[in-house]
Amino acid sequence: QVIHRLYDYAIMGCKKADPVLAQRALNELILALDFDHKEIATGLFRLYDYCKGCVQKQQYQQAIVILEDLRTTWTQAFHLS
């Protein structure tokens, strides 16, 4: 559920155009990756890194779309609400 909350913070940071909040949440999501599952972790790392680049360029909407999709997938996979 921590990951779920990190997605919320990253999305909120983007919606508020707050690069500090968004970057912190994205950094925590990256730190939470388990590279014992290399294929999945690498794919997520690339998406998070791309979102960080969007935030740096103030292209928040692109990051929001990706993060909301990932959050929805996470919610469905773990039956969270």
Side-chain angles (χ1 to χ4, degrees):
Q1 204 166 13
V2 171
I3 301 298
H4 193 257
R5 199 160 282 161
L6 287 172
Y7 281 120
D8 289 342
Y9 287 127
I11 292 165
M12 182 173 41
C14 289
K15 286 184 176 180
K16 291 183 173 186
D18 180 344
V20 174
L21 177 59
Q23 292 283 6
R24 282 184 183 165
L26 286 162
N27 286 338
E28 290 299 320
L29 285 166
I30 289 170
L31 288 173
L33 292 172
D34 180 358
F35 282 94
D36 287 341
H37 304 281
K38 186 177 179 180
E39 191 172 317
I40 294 169
T42 299
L44 287 170
F45 174 82
R46 288 181 180 150
L47 287 169
Y48 298 155
D49 192 53
Y50 176 78
C51 288
K52 285 179 66 171
C54 289
V55 169
Q56 289 170 347
K57 296 173 191 168
Q58 298 181 347
Q59 296 171 342
Y60 296 107
Q61 192 56 42
Q62 286 182 308
I64 290 168
V65 169
I66 292 167
L67 292 167
E68 285 181 341
D69 284 348
L70 289 170
R71 184 186 183 280
T72 298
T73 301
W74 183 267
T75 300
Q76 290 172 350
F78 293 97
H79 308 290
L80 301 171
S81 55

